[in-house]
Amino acid sequence: MRIESSRRLRGPNRYLARPVQVTRVLLDGLTERESSDFPGFTDRLLAAFPGLAEHHCAFGEPGGFVKRLHGGTYFGHTAEHVAIELSQRIGRPVNFGRTEGTGVPGEYDVVTECPVDEPPDSGIAEDLLALAITGVLAALHGEPVRVEDELATLRRTYEREKAGPSTAAIADAARVRGIPVERVGELSLLRLGYGRHRRLVWAALTDQTSAIGVDIASDKELTRRLLDEAGVPVPSGGAATTLAEALDLFAELGPPVVVKPRQGRQGMHVFLGVDTPDALRAAYEAATAGGDDAVVERELSGRDYRVLTVGGKVVAAAERVAAHVVGDGATDVAGLIARANEDPRRGDGHARALTRIVVDDVALTLLRRQGLDVGTVPAAGQVVRLRENANLSTGGTSVDVTDDVHPSVADLCRRVAAIVGLDIAGLDLRLPSIAAPLPPSGSPAEMTGGVIEVNAAPGLRMHLDPSDGTARDVGAAIVEALYPAGTPSRIPIVSITGTNGKTTVARLTAHLLDGAGLRVGVTTTDGIAIGGRLVQRADATGPRSARVVLSDPTVDAAVLETARGGMLRQGLGYDWSDVGIITNLASDHLGQDGIDSIEDLVDLKCLIGERVREGGAVVLNADDPRSRGLAAYPGTRFEKREIVWCGLDPRNPLIRRHWDTGGRAYLLADGWLVELADRRWIPILAVGELGGGFGGAARHLVANALAATAAARVLGVATARVAERLRSFTDNPGRGMLLRLGGVDVLVDYAHNPAAIRAIGDLVDRLWGADHAVAAVTLPGDRRDDLLRESAREVARFDRVVIYEDSDRRGRAPGEVPAILHDELAATSPDATRIVVRTVDEAVPAALAMARPGDVVLLLYEKIEPVLSLLRTLGAETAHDQHVSVPLIGASV
């Protein structure tokens, strides 16, 4: 049993609304073998991983998986459960797993849930499964199961990669509010919201945080002077660039003093209680070891407090207690420290609520001042100080005192944050008691309390999980400051999928929304466009492209063509949409990525409707049999979403029933695109006026226009504006694109599956007739042979055909696809004229040579740019009339 490949689906996907890892596992010699085939295996596995006894599996209760093991289950499924168990052992909270066969004997996809904010390129999920396979194989062969060393390494990796407490608190609070959240890689940077409502948060810094305020807070001496000038009680002192200046300040201030780096952070190299010139020299050297100046200031007496202000409000306060241990009369100092570090809340750095206590030079110096060392056994109850500064990052603890803050102290903190210019500030105070009125400021010698530091990007751990007292949801306070109640965090999102018509519907929908004054970001097979300008040329139908649009703060609305491949390989690029459009559901791409049947394809495409927000709309095609089938169980698929039907047949009984029960529909009737809503009939546009619609002869384009109209109307675009924009729609390159070359028309289209070729063929029949058409055809090599043959049978309606090959053969041998098409055409239409050429550069001249004046060349292409370049070189010009003389008139309702 071994791993072949792995991929991360970071957005909602066919398995789960949260991220998952999909790992291809090959069972090799264990193919078709089950756990029950090996006596003693289950007992050995449970002895190594006793937590498996609590796994539910399909039985829905603890012990369910053990029943599967005894009854017999395949080893991919066994490895899945062990991987989940190992994940929980390292504190990585996941529960969901699934193992699916790929159709190849001994080949399985093992799907395991991933934490929502885990970096998408993290290798932990695959490493856990690899370790699980190692453990399963060891138990299978009766060997010792040893995974602890590797598991300890993965635990450290997970601690390093996971979001810190501050970042996680903000992300969690945003999700509670329904605000979209995305963590950027392994950073503490969060993107909240979509489009023009997008906000950025980096730990406790936001995009509202003043850069000047950060710089002021980072300079301890500048902060002290600025606050002093504002009448804020601060300790007297100054900056020293040399030891002589530090000694002068010491002499002026008198002991005890505090010595710290001018640009210091997290309490590093801060020395309190400096009371002799020798102690000052040592402190100065340590504080300036990094090349920074030192600050020397009078040490204030009192207790150490941290107050957090957010948006001008005091939201939390804690008393900070410096790192220490308490003797028990039997254990030495080193043992007491080790015991304290066993607290599961303590970790390295800021990964957990508390930081491990480190014995360094600062701690050793302080121990010597107390007449102790790490080998001393303190008396029972004796407090041994290991730090004088109370920062959590140096091992300190905290006690929540939010409810005790005196109004005068709260007022001071609000003033200080405003003076420095910080939207989020951590204010360090020394006071006799935070519950008492603020002492009046007098001479420095008489000062009994004041502000000792102001911190930008303050840590939130002490408030989120205090060592004692009430936890405060300061993440929610930060989110509230960014998004006050009633402030939107989302933009309208339309997501479009289906077999055919996705690109045209996306372009049309964007065109309609643009006409309503919105700056639209749209993703299609052409690329990414923002505000009508193409910013990236690529096949942009996957989640990465969606994120580009949704993270752009200039975008008012997003229209996302969402293709099968992106959903399968990475999931969706958004959490919820407002409108989901499923254009139609036909056979295409079958046999790829585990999608073997049309039923598999329907299940996948329905994800677009399932991820429409409650109260949003799912737009379906009433003319498509498989889409109509979805109506049989809308409660399970699209519960609490509005179903909007579109169709070309107004006599469709489904639409009639839907309208009669108050539903909304968009259809073609009496030659008009109409809206049926609120039991009213609202004409929108005469079909002959539809831009690019060939006077209504292009029935598939009319269907696309109805779907786009439905989306625009759901989002509130007025019918008059919709009609105006439908008339002006002309920018649809490569889809029903008509050019003229001499006396021959050239119709360029991307049709590449049977349904699409049938639709464009019907248009040719209506406008020119099949006997006046030449077809130049290529099809993608990644389609199954049966689908290629079915497509060829649709092409067989034309009696003159040129076959050429894609430049990207997609795994096929040279000439393989043209040969399949040629043979099927010969069998279906033996009297037709057929030639096979190599490239599009050869196919176009060959097709033109076959054409007679008044004929049309239907050109199906692989890539639009080289095709248009070739046609322009040959002298082709855009046709503007589009044969409007053949209208399409729908029947009456």
Side-chain angles (χ1 to χ4, degrees):
M1 183 164 51
R2 56 193 168 89
I3 291 175
E4 182 183 54
S5 62
S6 191
R7 69 183 188 275
R8 177 69 61 97
L9 279 59
R10 61 187 293 189
N13 53 77
R14 61 189 294 208
Y15 305 105
L16 202 63
R18 301 181 297 280
V20 298
Q21 189 88 0
V22 182
T23 307
R24 181 67 50 86
V25 173
L26 306 182
L27 297 188
D28 293 336
L30 293 174
T31 299
E32 304 298 333
R33 305 296 302 276
E34 297 185 359
S35 54
S36 57
D37 294 339
F38 299 88
F41 166 70
T42 295
D43 292 337
R44 292 192 296 272
L45 189 71
L46 291 174
F49 306 106
L52 293 174
E54 299 300 315
H55 286 214
H56 292 205
C57 200
F59 289 88
E61 60 183 10
F65 179 59
V66 175
K67 293 179 183 178
R68 292 291 302 274
L69 285 171
H70 286 299
T73 190
Y74 288 141
F75 283 90
H77 181 222
T78 302
E80 167 214 317
H81 275 271
V82 175
I84 292 172
E85 177 63 22
L86 292 175
S87 180
Q88 292 172 343
R89 277 198 193 182
I90 65 172
R92 182 174 175 267
V94 301
N95 295 290
F96 174 84
R98 178 181 295 175
T99 300
E100 296 183 331
T102 66
V104 177
E107 186 176 277
Y108 289 85
D109 283 337
V110 177
V111 182
T112 51
E113 180 186 357
C114 298
V116 66
D117 288 320
E118 187 168 86
D121 57 353
S122 172
I124 287 181
E126 183 176 340
D127 290 343
L128 285 167
L129 183 59
L131 187 57
I133 290 172
T134 298
V136 169
L137 292 178
L140 184 67
H141 298 305
E143 299 170 352
V145 179
R146 297 189 177 98
V147 297
E148 289 308 320
D149 289 347
E150 293 89 342
L151 203 60
T153 299
L154 289 175
R155 183 181 292 108
R156 289 191 292 271
T157 301
Y158 173 64
E159 292 278 354
R160 184 183 68 250
E161 288 185 351
K162 75 176 184 178
S166 298
T167 302
I170 296 168
D172 291 345
R175 291 190 176 101
V176 168
R177 287 270 306 272
I179 297 169
V181 181
E182 183 179 13
R183 182 185 176 196
V184 180
E186 294 186 23
L187 304 175
S188 296
L189 178 63
L190 298 176
R191 279 196 290 258
L192 307 183
Y194 287 149
R196 66 188 181 95
H197 303 301
R198 187 220 69 183
R199 309 303 304 272
L200 297 177
V201 182
W202 192 316
L205 288 174
T206 78
D207 51 19
Q208 290 182 339
T209 302
S210 162
I212 294 176
V214 173
D215 283 348
I216 291 171
S218 298
D219 187 327
K220 307 304 181 187
E221 172 59 12
L222 178 58
T223 302
R224 192 191 63 79
R225 290 174 55 186
L226 188 67
L227 295 180
D228 186 40
E229 291 173 358
V232 173
V234 293
S236 54
T241 59
T242 66
L243 176 59
E245 291 177 351
L247 288 167
D248 288 345
L249 282 167
F250 177 73
E252 177 185 339
L253 298 170
V257 298
V258 176
V259 180
K260 55 188 176 184
R262 183 167 183 167
Q263 302 287 339
R265 56 191 297 269
Q266 298 179 353
M268 302 301 293
H269 305 298
V270 175
F271 298 88
L272 286 75
V274 177
D275 55 1
T276 68
D278 288 342
L280 183 127
R281 289 186 183 92
Y284 178 84
E285 290 175 2
T288 59
D292 196 5
D293 292 346
V295 171
V296 181
E297 60 188 25
R298 181 184 301 278
E299 181 174 340
L300 299 182
S301 60
R303 301 160 80 173
D304 200 313
Y305 296 102
R306 164 66 64 85
V307 177
L308 179 69
T309 64
V310 177
K313 299 177 182 178
V314 171
V315 299
E319 180 177 0
R320 302 188 301 174
V321 181
H324 67 280
V325 291
V326 180
D328 61 4
T331 309
D332 63 16
V333 171
L336 294 170
I337 293 172
R339 185 184 301 165
N341 284 336
E342 290 174 359
D343 185 335
R345 294 178 300 171
R346 291 193 183 271
D348 296 324
H350 293 178
R352 301 189 188 181
L354 298 173
T355 300
R356 287 191 176 94
I357 300 171
V358 176
V359 180
D360 54 11
D361 289 344
V362 175
L364 292 173
T365 298
L366 187 54
L367 284 172
R368 284 195 295 270
R369 286 170 52 188
Q370 299 170 84
L372 306 170
D373 59 36
V374 292
T376 303
V377 177
Q382 181 180 351
V383 175
V384 179
R385 294 178 293 125
L386 299 166
R387 278 291 192 280
E388 289 187 306
N389 64 304
N391 297 71
L392 263 66
S393 55
T394 57
T397 56
S398 65
V399 178
D400 178 71
V401 294
T402 305
D403 294 334
D404 299 332
V405 177
H406 192 274
S408 64
V409 176
D411 184 65
L412 172 69
C413 293
R414 289 190 292 267
R415 281 188 60 221
V416 168
I419 290 166
V420 175
L422 291 174
D423 61 327
I424 302 173
L427 310 168
D428 295 341
L429 298 91
R430 277 287 182 93
L431 297 170
S433 171
I434 202 167
L438 192 69
S441 58
S443 67
E446 298 172 348
M447 186 177 296
T448 58
V451 178
I452 56 177
E453 277 192 16
V454 177
N455 299 276
L460 306 180
R461 294 184 296 163
M462 69 185 74
H463 309 299
L464 295 166
D465 190 8
S467 306
D468 189 18
T470 304
R472 305 292 172 171
D473 190 358
V474 293
I478 292 173
V479 172
E480 176 67 21
L482 292 170
Y483 294 98
T487 302
S489 63
R490 298 174 178 272
I491 59 174
I493 297 175
V494 180
S495 185
I496 301 152
T497 197
T499 303
N500 295 309
K502 299 184 294 295
T503 298
T504 298
V505 172
R507 291 169 176 167
L508 265 166
T509 303
H511 186 67
L512 299 181
L513 296 180
D514 177 78
L518 300 175
R519 181 175 170 85
V520 183
V522 58
T523 67
T524 67
T525 53
D526 286 343
I528 302 170
I530 305 289
R533 186 177 71 85
L534 191 66
V535 298
Q536 182 178 344
R537 187 179 298 280
D539 184 349
T541 58
R544 291 183 181 178
S545 304
R547 292 187 188 98
V548 170
V549 168
L550 295 174
S551 64
D552 190 316
T554 71
V555 170
D556 297 319
V559 178
L560 309 174
E561 180 180 346
T562 308
R564 168 204 61 88
M567 285 191 277
L568 283 171
R569 289 187 281 272
Q570 291 188 342
L572 297 180
Y574 59 90
D575 57 351
W576 299 102
S577 68
D578 297 275
V579 181
I581 300 175
I582 303 175
T583 59
N584 43 66
L585 297 163
S587 298
D588 197 13
H589 294 284
L590 300 184
Q592 301 176 36
D593 301 310
I595 303 298
D596 297 319
S597 67
I598 186 63
E599 290 75 21
D600 292 339
L601 190 65
V602 170
D603 283 342
L604 177 66
K605 299 282 187 179
C606 279
L607 179 63
I608 295 305
E610 292 164 358
R611 295 309 297 180
V612 170
R613 63 172 175 80
E614 290 188 7
V618 182
V619 178
L620 298 173
N621 184 347
D623 299 325
D624 178 60
R626 293 186 178 90
S627 296
R628 290 198 300 270
L630 300 178
Y633 46 100
T636 56
R637 288 283 188 182
F638 313 132
E639 187 178 8
K640 299 182 181 179
R641 282 88 176 160
E642 178 188 7
I643 304 297
V644 180
W645 289 102
C646 298
L648 300 175
D649 180 6
R651 292 169 298 196
N652 187 319
L654 175 62
I655 288 182
R656 167 64 75 178
R657 290 194 301 271
H658 189 66
W659 188 34
D660 286 345
T661 56
R664 181 160 32 169
Y666 296 83
L667 67 154
L668 177 68
D670 290 337
W672 283 77
L673 277 67
V674 300
E675 175 182 87
L676 306 182
D678 299 324
R679 302 182 184 277
R680 293 191 304 151
W681 167 290
I682 306 170
I684 296 175
L685 182 73
V687 70
E689 299 180 56
L690 176 62
F694 295 91
R699 293 177 64 88
H700 60 288
L701 188 93
V702 176
N704 293 336
L706 290 169
T709 298
R713 290 290 293 133
V714 167
L715 295 179
V717 182
T719 54
R721 184 57 55 86
V722 169
E724 173 191 333
R725 297 298 284 182
L726 289 175
R727 288 189 194 95
S728 64
F729 180 67
T730 57
D731 188 15
N732 197 22
R735 271 65 176 178
M737 190 175 185
L738 186 64
L739 299 97
R740 292 227 170 91
L741 184 56
V744 176
D745 294 329
V746 180
L747 182 64
V748 181
D749 199 85
Y750 186 57
H752 56 280
N753 59 57
I757 295 171
R758 185 182 312 120
I760 197 68
D762 288 347
L763 174 63
V764 171
D765 282 350
R766 291 189 186 92
L767 296 185
W768 292 272
D771 56 342
H772 289 284
V774 180
V777 178
T778 185
L779 290 175
D782 59 357
R783 270 44 170 192
R784 284 189 333 209
D785 288 3
D786 60 324
L787 294 178
L788 292 175
R789 293 191 183 97
E790 187 179 348
S791 294
R793 290 193 291 274
E794 293 294 339
V795 175
R797 71 171 68 198
F798 304 110
D799 60 8
R800 289 166 287 168
V801 180
V802 178
I803 303 168
Y804 71 98
E805 188 166 49
D806 280 0
S807 59
D808 179 2
R809 296 191 300 272
R810 307 192 192 192
R812 295 278 188 169
E816 184 179 358
V817 171
I820 292 172
L821 301 181
H822 180 276
D823 293 348
E824 190 64 29
L825 283 169
T828 307
S829 182
D831 297 331
T833 301
R834 299 173 302 279
I835 65 171
V836 178
V837 298
R838 292 177 300 171
T839 67
V840 70
D841 290 347
E842 298 174 1
V844 172
L848 290 169
M850 285 186 180
R852 300 179 290 267
D855 283 353
V856 63
V857 170
L858 172 61
L859 176 56
L860 307 185
Y861 64 88
E862 174 194 9
K863 296 185 184 300
I864 188 62
E865 292 83 4
V867 166
L868 294 181
S869 177
L870 173 62
L871 290 170
R872 299 299 184 197
T873 300
L874 295 173
E877 297 179 350
T878 301
H880 296 291
D881 62 357
Q882 296 195 337
H883 293 267
V884 294
S885 60
V886 186
L888 176 67
I889 304 299
S892 299
V893 174

